[in-house]
Amino acid sequence: MRSVMTASDRRDVVRNRSAILDATISLLDDGETPTAGAVAWRAGVARATVYRHYPTIAALVTEAEETRASQVRRPAADAPSPAPLDIPALLDRVAPPQLPEQIVGEAQRYSRARAVALYLVDIGGTRLLRAAGSLEFPEEMVVRLAAGPEIPAEGIEALHEAVSATLPSVTIAPMVVRGRATGALLALDAQDAGLLQEMARHAGIALAMSEPFSDVIAASRRRKETTAAAETQQLCLPPRLARLSGLRLAGDVLPAYENGGNWFDHAENQDGAWIAAVDTLGSGARAAATSAVALGALRAARTVGSTPRDAIQHMDAAIRSIGGDEVRCSAFVARWHATTSTLFWVAAGDLHPVLADAEGRLTTLRDHALPQLATDPLPETIPTSHRVVRPDERILLLSDGVSGLDGAPLSAAALRELARRSRGASPARTLSLIQGAIRDAGGEDLDDDAMIVVLAPAKGTP
């Protein structure tokens, strides 16, 4: 018996094809390669949906290039219909604590679903936590796909599979902001799945904009009580997944609910993309405070046009100013030159970059040796190292809580095997493999922060 396509089905088909084409054009505009996974992620559809509309990626790219070349400014009468969520109006009329429930209500109304729930990724990156919506949905679901509270592009299919295994009848709409998902809308019996996907994209932006004004969203990302040190560390951490000019980055710090002495940071300025990391001696509130002071010094130096060498000096002076014999840390400050694919850096202490080549072989790039910050005086002339990074290479930044100390979860041999297994993988996938091995070896209880940052020249989504 042949199934009959309803009017809603036909609208979904048209909407999905348009979203796929728009996503491909967006990737081309960003200078990225439109792979099936990248297109599916930006369009908010499954990879199989892309192939249902286009038999090959080449055919899709051809149509996208033709459409892009022929696009002209459309008259107002042909302008697209308003977005389901008017974000400025929503933020003006809804108090931040009520925003998650308001989004659920609007999503249910527009998609004509029987029930809707809003889920956020917890800060540990292992679960989806229900932040609002129907109690018919579970309070949490185990989904080990994320870098901290963010799911990368290649995790979208696994997200669908993981949620569908628990809730086979729901429609899943990831909330994507700048190429990574921070949560998802889940709907039961949604009559307009395409509109739900569009709602989810706008909802992610609205939640990101409102988060600084309330603790509700932050609390919804935590499945257990944190320490003062851990909260300080969370405030220091940037988005875990980033697309910078000519560079993809993925990073995280484990465990999310304890310790607190490490951070990494990134920013894209006129002088290039900055990447930095700190591994502070010890744990707890004192280590977190030291790290926070170091981050403040870095950002103060960065905003006045300083070099990585200047930044290291500012960080050293700031840490010395708070005193104490045990206040010390290793640091890495770098600047990425996109046109030459070159990384320039200064490293103090034991935090040196590790090169993973095309075969997965690891080499520590220890060109110059500086003392840990706040120990021996830094030399008057601080040397800068540099390295051209090939498209098939990755740079790893690993704290001693990952490997190198007695009791660290990964041995040097285990780390080499992970690098070999992940050769050719994206930064997000490489990070996921290392984090998975750390969790398998040490569980949730780690003696020291395990910080992992993975960098690679841009050739797709992070």
Side-chain angles (χ1 to χ4, degrees), residues 314-325:
H314 281 290
M315 293 163 69
D316 181 65
I319 296 171
R320 289 179 188 277
S321 72
I322 63 177
D325 295 336

Side-chain angles (χ1 to χ4, degrees), residues 309-371:
R309 286 181 294 189
D310 298 328
I312 281 283
Q313 290 173 321
H314 281 290
M315 293 163 69
D316 181 65
I319 296 171
R320 289 179 188 277
S321 72
I322 63 177
D325 295 336
E326 296 183 0
V327 177
R328 62 189 67 181
C329 63
S330 296
F332 170 90
V333 181
R335 197 156 58 193
W336 172 255
H337 192 252
T339 56
T340 61
S341 193
T342 304
L343 189 70
F344 298 87
W345 75 88
V346 176
D350 300 321
L351 194 53
H352 295 275
V354 177
L355 176 72
D357 67 16
E359 301 303 319
R361 293 184 293 259
L362 297 179
T363 304
T364 300
L365 304 178
R366 199 188 306 268
D367 296 345
H368 303 287
L370 294 177

Side-chain angles (χ1 to χ4, degrees), residues 117-122 126-132 134-144 162-163 166-167 186 219-224 257 444:
L118 187 156
Y119 282 83
L120 297 174
V121 186
D122 86 295
T126 62
R127 287 166 175 80
L128 285 176
L129 305 178
R130 191 186 68 234
S134 173
L135 299 183
E136 294 182 71
F137 293 87
E139 186 174 345
E140 65 177 52
M141 287 179 282
V142 176
V143 182
R144 293 189 174 182
V163 173
T166 303
L167 305 171
L186 273 57
S220 298
R221 295 191 185 280
R222 286 151 175 77
R223 58 185 174 83
K224 61 181 181 180
Y257 293 91
E444 296 283 344

Side-chain angles (χ1 to χ4, degrees), residues 41 121 128 143 145-156 159 179-184 241:
W41 178 257
V121 186
L128 285 176
V143 182
L145 304 168
E150 303 165 19
I151 300 176
E154 56 261 49
I156 187 64
L159 171 66
R180 72 263 199 279
T182 55
L241 305 167

Side-chain angles (χ1 to χ4, degrees), residues 224-301:
K224 61 181 181 180
E225 186 176 352
T226 59
T227 63
E231 284 298 333
T232 302
Q233 184 178 64
Q234 289 297 315
L235 290 172
C236 290
L237 293 175
R240 310 307 196 269
L241 305 167
R243 288 194 306 265
L244 307 171
S245 292
L247 187 70
R248 298 172 296 160
L249 178 150
D252 200 10
V253 180
L254 299 176
Y257 293 91
E258 299 169 3
N259 295 346
N262 296 356
W263 55 255
F264 67 95
D265 195 40
H266 54 79
E268 188 160 17
N269 297 332
Q270 293 290 347
D271 56 356
W274 284 68
I275 303 97
V278 154
D279 182 3
T280 302
L281 178 69
S283 61
R286 186 174 184 81
T290 302
S291 288
V293 168
L295 179 59
L298 166 71
R299 291 179 176 173

Side-chain angles (χ1 to χ4, degrees), residues 424-449:
S426 69
R429 177 59 179 160
T430 304
L431 173 67
S432 177
L433 286 171
I434 296 174
Q435 285 185 312
I438 290 173
R439 289 189 177 106
D440 289 343
E444 296 283 344
D445 299 321
L446 300 178
D447 294 333
D448 192 13
D449 287 342

